[in-house]
């Protein structure tokens, strides 16, 4: 993707209809090699449509800030249906998240963060729906998705392990029912 301009990316990503998504999650790699494999670190970039904001979750502090910012600018153009890159309009927040203590677990952290963000958003949506059903005449305050994403990034190592177990149980259950 690094060699493609927004004009070239737009038709490639159009079938995904990313502009309609509430949340877009993209793994970020720091490789500068455009013709083969490479890179030494992965992080997670999340785009919250309702806030028009990108959130960067990096388990090695700011190791992937440059590739995440570059990717956010390219994706912003695609998400807004333009072939021009816009640098002044892109909102990119460095989200606080659990930090890895070694140099090889970044992929596990990215997968756990994806799961944590998705589960957190589902739980919050379920709570909102339940509140609406209990009190249909009252409007319930809904925190912006950016607040939810920032909170979702604040997971502990124990929560990562528990989430992995829950996802494994869910996968096992789904495989047994299909």
């Amino acid at each position: 993707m690094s060699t493609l301009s927004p004009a070239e990316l737009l038709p490639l990503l159009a079938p995904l209809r990313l502009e309609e998504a509430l949340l877009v999650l993209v793994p970020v790699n720091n490789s500068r090699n455009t013709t083969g494999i490479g890179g030494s670190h992965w992080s997670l970039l999340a785009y919250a449509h309702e806030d028009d904001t990108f959130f960067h979750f990096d388990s090695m502090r700011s190791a992937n800030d440059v590739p995440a910012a570059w990717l956010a600018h390219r994706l912003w153009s695609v998400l807004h249906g333009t072939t021009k890159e816009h640098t002044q309009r892109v909102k990119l927040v460095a989200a606080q998240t659990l930090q890895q203590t070694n140099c090889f677990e970044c992929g596990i952290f990215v997968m756990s963060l994806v799961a944590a963000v998705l589960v957190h958003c589902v739980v919050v949506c379920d709570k909102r729906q339940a509140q609406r059903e209990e009190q249909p005449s009252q409007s319930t305050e809904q925190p912006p998705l950016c607040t939810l994403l920032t909170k979702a990034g604040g997971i502990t190592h124990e929560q990562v392990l528990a989430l992995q177990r829950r996802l494994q149980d869910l996968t096992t259950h789904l495989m047994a029912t299909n």
Side-chain angles (χ1 to χ4, degrees):
M1 191 185 313
S2 63
T3 60
L4 300 177
S5 70
E8 294 167 314
L9 281 175
L10 197 57
L12 291 174
L13 297 177
L16 297 176
R17 298 183 358 218
L18 296 177
E19 69 281 357
E20 297 174 21
L22 176 66
L23 180 66
V24 177
L25 302 175
V26 182
V28 178
N29 185 268
N30 64 352
S31 177
R32 293 184 178 162
N33 182 353
T34 60
T35 60
I37 61 171
S40 61
H41 182 57
W42 290 95
S43 59
L44 179 67
L45 187 66
Y47 174 74
H49 183 80
E50 71 179 317
D51 301 306
D52 197 22
T53 302
F54 287 92
F55 297 87
H56 183 223
F57 297 88
D58 194 337
S59 61
M60 288 186 72
R61 304 224 175 346
S62 57
N64 266 5
D65 280 359
V66 172
W70 181 90
L71 185 57
H73 287 99
R74 287 281 170 99
L75 284 176
W76 191 93
S77 296
V78 170
L79 291 164
H80 289 82
T82 179
T83 57
K84 297 179 182 177
E85 287 191 56
H86 292 271
T87 55
Q88 70 278 8
R89 301 248 342 217
V90 177
K91 291 188 278 184
L92 177 60
V93 175
Q96 292 184 358
T97 189
L98 184 67
Q99 298 295 294
Q100 64 190 75
T101 57
N102 55 43
C103 60
F104 54 85
E105 285 186 338
C106 56
I108 301 282
F109 274 76
V110 168
M111 290 186 292
S112 298
L113 282 164
V114 166
V117 168
L118 292 175
V119 168
H120 188 80
C121 288
V122 167
V123 166
V124 168
C125 288
D126 286 349
K127 286 181 182 176
R128 289 178 184 169
Q129 183 62 33
Q131 288 174 345
R132 280 190 220 106
E133 289 171 2
E134 288 175 9
Q135 302 169 354
S137 61
Q138 293 182 350
S139 171
T140 56
E141 276 288 315
Q142 296 185 12
L145 189 58
C146 63
T147 304
L148 305 180
L149 290 178
T150 303
K151 289 181 180 177
I155 59 175
T156 66
H157 190 63
E158 292 78 22
Q159 289 170 319
V160 168
L161 295 175
L163 184 58
Q164 288 170 339
R165 285 190 297 273
R166 283 178 55 199
L167 289 172
Q168 186 176 24
D169 292 345
L170 179 60
T171 303
T172 303
H173 173 72
L174 290 173
M175 298 284 280
T177 58
N178 288 331

